[in-house]
Amino acid sequence: IEARALLEGLKFAWAKGYRRVEIENENENDNSISVAIIQNGLTTNNVCSEVGLIQDWCLKDWEVKFRQIMRESDMVIDR
């Protein structure tokens, strides 16, 4: 579900004309593995089609950055 949401968010940002996107990811989130796979280009060995599609979107002519945040830094948002 998180990978699908990320994919749809990238599509939305592209359609709106944004060409610089920063994606925050919690270190303790299960999606951290997916982000590492996307950043390192390892989707050929991954069965998750959304992860491969996310990587394809990241390779378009724009700047996409992933930023890891610590859970402790995100406590205010969680409350």
Side-chain angles (χ1 to χ4, degrees), residues 30-67:
D30 292 340
N31 211 29
S32 294
I33 294 170
S34 297
V35 169
I37 290 169
I38 293 163
Q39 288 178 309
N40 294 313
L42 302 175
T43 58
T44 55
N45 297 328
N46 193 295
V47 295
C48 181
S49 61
E50 281 89 2
V51 174
L53 291 171
I54 291 167
Q55 186 181 34
D56 291 344
W57 276 90
C58 289
L59 294 175
K60 287 186 173 289
D61 187 24
W62 63 342
E63 183 180 346
V64 179
K65 291 184 181 180
F66 290 89
R67 184 166 60 114

